[in-house]
Amino acid sequence: DQPFPLPRDLEGRRVVVSAGGTAEPLDPVRTLGNRSSGRQGYALARVAAQRGADVTLVAGTIADLDPPAAVDVRRVQTTREMREAVLDAAKAADVVVMAAAVADFRPTDLATAKIKKGDGEPTSVPLTRNPDILRDLVAQDVPGRLVVGFAAETGDEHSSVLDLGRAKLERKGCDLLVVNAVGAGRAFEMEDNEGWLLGADGTSEPLPMGSKAALSARVWDAVAQRLR
Ligand code: CTP
Ligand code: CA
């Protein structure tokens, strides 16, 4: 059921893909997380393996997904766990793709017992900024290693999705940025995606509405071209 060609152009390449959300514990029964399903990251990992890559998939909180064949899946929960797993796998990698929806903040305090209603109940949750995994990967500046980021943008009255993506690519310093246009009923928990693939070299190509596997193929095409 693959309407697009699957070249073996990632043969012998080691790739790391992060997928899903991260979730930050608040007490023993509650977390602060997001609704990322992990489908895009899983599709990227599956397609990379089909194209011959040696794939490590670092998966946070995900929907009920089948693990892709011939992929080393490492499960994590928090942003700090994801950072550790990604940086470890990235040591031997030719490419790292951060498709995960990483929690930007975590509750500052972790209650050791379940938080109860009643006297002294909390009315707010103090938050602490999490590390930025993509930024840390870029800062390592490993020669020849490509770093690919993802961004979901809605755009606003001042800036288009494309402008916001271009600014984010520059801020993050990665080699490629996949910009997804999101909004009500788009991208999250959907089968289809649309957006742009932006290169640090100034290139930009539209990613038409299509399956997450098709989008993955476009990403690996761009990666394979730059690895040569
Ligand atoms: N990312 C990351 N670590 C974080 C946050 C984000 O590695 N703590 C990665 C994501 O996996 C993604 C890219 O950075 O590949 C962009 O994420 P995004 O949330 O769009 O960027 P932020 O810098 O967090 O900006 P914003 O304030 O718009 O959320
Ligand atoms: Ca963010």
Side-chain angles (χ1 to χ4, degrees):
D1 61 338
Q2 309 277 8
F4 43 86
L6 280 176
R8 298 284 296 179
D9 55 357
L10 296 174
E11 195 84 63
R13 300 296 191 176
R14 290 171 196 250
V15 317
V16 179
V17 178
S18 68
T22 58
E24 304 291 343
L26 179 56
D27 73 11
V29 298
R30 300 186 178 96
T31 61
L32 186 66
N34 63 67
R35 293 164 59 187
S36 171
S37 67
R39 284 195 179 87
Q40 183 61 67
Y42 270 56
L44 282 159
R46 181 174 295 111
V47 172
Q50 287 168 344
R51 286 166 71 152
D54 178 343
V55 185
T56 301
L57 175 59
V58 178
T61 54
I62 53 166
D64 186 15
L65 302 177
D66 291 330
V71 166
D72 176 16
V73 183
R74 303 188 190 170
R75 296 300 308 272
V76 296
Q77 189 191 12
T78 66
T79 296
R80 287 177 292 176
E81 287 165 7
M82 180 169 278
R83 179 179 182 277
E84 201 165 308
V86 167
L87 293 186
D88 180 60
K91 285 178 197 158
D94 299 296
V95 193
V96 185
V97 181
M98 285 298 300
V102 181
D104 292 325
F105 308 98
R106 63 177 180 271
T108 303
D109 307 304
L110 172 57
T112 53
K114 186 182 167 191
I115 298 163
K116 295 289 204 178
K117 298 191 291 287
D119 288 348
E121 69 186 32
T123 55
S124 62
V125 181
L127 300 174
T128 296
R129 179 88 76 95
N130 268 327
D132 187 324
I133 303 167
L134 186 67
R135 214 182 261 275
D136 292 344
L137 285 164
V138 168
Q140 288 180 338
D141 200 18
V142 175
R145 187 178 73 188
L146 293 177
V147 179
V148 183
F150 267 71
E153 304 287 352
T154 58
D156 57 30
E157 63 273 27
H158 308 294
S159 315
S160 69
V161 169
L162 188 54
D163 292 338
L164 291 173
R166 183 58 67 192
K168 185 162 283 184
L169 174 66
E170 267 153 39
R171 200 161 61 242
K172 294 282 197 171
C174 48
D175 300 289
L176 287 165
L177 186 71
V178 182
V179 185
N180 278 313
V182 294
R186 280 154 92 182
F188 277 113
E189 299 177 325
M190 299 269 294
E191 291 302 329
D192 291 332
N193 256 334
E194 62 181 327
W196 285 267
L197 181 56
L198 305 183
D201 48 10
T203 53
S204 71
E205 52 171 299
L207 295 167
M209 183 62 112
S211 70
K212 292 189 176 184
L215 186 144
S216 300
R218 299 289 292 271
V219 173
W220 293 126
D221 288 346
V223 165
Q225 207 173 43
R226 284 165 171 82
L227 282 174
R228 266 182 225 128

